[in-house]
Amino acid sequence: MTDFATLFPTAEPARQKLIAWWQARSRREQWLLGGLGLLLTALALISLVVLPLQRARAEALADIRTYEGLTARLRSAGTIGAQPATVQLAGPPAAILSTSAAPFGIVPVVQGDGADIRVTVGDAPYDALLRWIAAVEQGSRLRVTRMRLDRRPASGFVSAQLTVRA
C-alpha cells in the first residue's frame, strides 16, 4: 500500500503538525472536536445536497402539474381544424379578407390590390386571429406569407400586420 507521504510529499510537514496538534489535545477535547466535525459535515451535507435536491423536486412537480393542466385544457379545447366543412370563398382578395373576418370579430384594414396585399389588424383576440387566418387559407387561394404580431396591454389580445399573397 502506498504511503501518504509518498503520494503528497509537499503536504507531509502540515500533516505532521496536524497529528502533533491532535495528540496534544486531551481525550475530552478530541471527542468534542470530532463531534463538532461530524455536526459541520452533517450541516454541509444537508445544505449543499439535500435542500437543493428537495427544491429541484418541488419545482419539477410544479412544472408537471402546470404541463398536465395545459394538456388537459388543450385536449378539452379540441383542434383548430375541427371546424365544419369550409366554404370556398370567391371574389377579390380585399372582399374575401373583409367578409371572412366578420364572424371572428376581426376588423382588418386591407391595403393594396396586387400580388401582395398588406393587412393590418388593430386589437384582436389571439385565438380568433389564428382561426381567421386558418379559415382564409382553407377557403380561398390566399396565403399568408409574412406575419408580425405585437402584444397588446389587454391579456390575450394582439395587433397584427400580415402580408397576404393572392
Side-chain angles (χ1 to χ4, degrees):
M1 187 163 116
T2 313
D3 188 21
F4 181 82
T6 308
L7 288 175
F8 304 103
T10 55
E12 185 58 26
R15 182 176 152 313
Q16 291 299 326
K17 283 182 184 180
L18 182 64
I19 290 172
W21 176 83
W22 182 258
Q23 289 175 347
R25 305 294 109 200
S26 69
R27 192 52 131 180
R28 180 176 170 218
E29 288 175 331
Q30 288 177 351
W31 275 101
L32 288 173
L33 287 172
L36 179 64
L38 185 64
L39 185 66
L40 289 176
T41 302
L43 183 66
L45 180 69
I46 289 171
S47 64
L48 296 176
V49 176
V50 175
L51 291 178
L53 284 175
Q54 285 179 338
R55 195 173 313 118
R57 182 178 184 273
E59 288 174 5
L61 288 173
D63 288 346
I64 289 170
R65 271 188 245 110
T66 300
Y67 294 132
E68 287 294 326
L70 287 173
T71 301
R73 287 175 57 192
L74 287 173
R75 285 187 182 155
S76 68
T79 60
I80 291 177
Q83 298 172 350
T86 58
V87 177
Q88 285 294 71
L89 304 170
I96 291 173
L97 292 168
S98 296
T99 58
S100 65
F104 297 97
I106 296 174
V107 181
V109 177
V110 181
Q111 300 168 348
D113 201 23
D116 286 338
I117 302 162
R118 297 194 62 199
V119 180
T120 305
V121 177
D123 271 340
Y126 176 74
D127 57 339
L129 180 70
L130 291 184
R131 285 192 198 111
W132 171 60
I133 292 171
V136 167
E137 288 194 349
Q138 288 176 357
S140 70
R141 66 187 188 285
L142 301 176
R143 299 290 175 254
V144 176
T145 57
R146 194 173 327 151
M147 177 170 65
R148 178 179 170 195
L149 292 176
D150 292 318
R151 184 176 19 173
R152 305 302 302 159
S155 178
F157 282 79
V158 295
S159 63
Q161 295 175 349
L162 308 170
T163 302
V164 179
R165 180 157 289 160

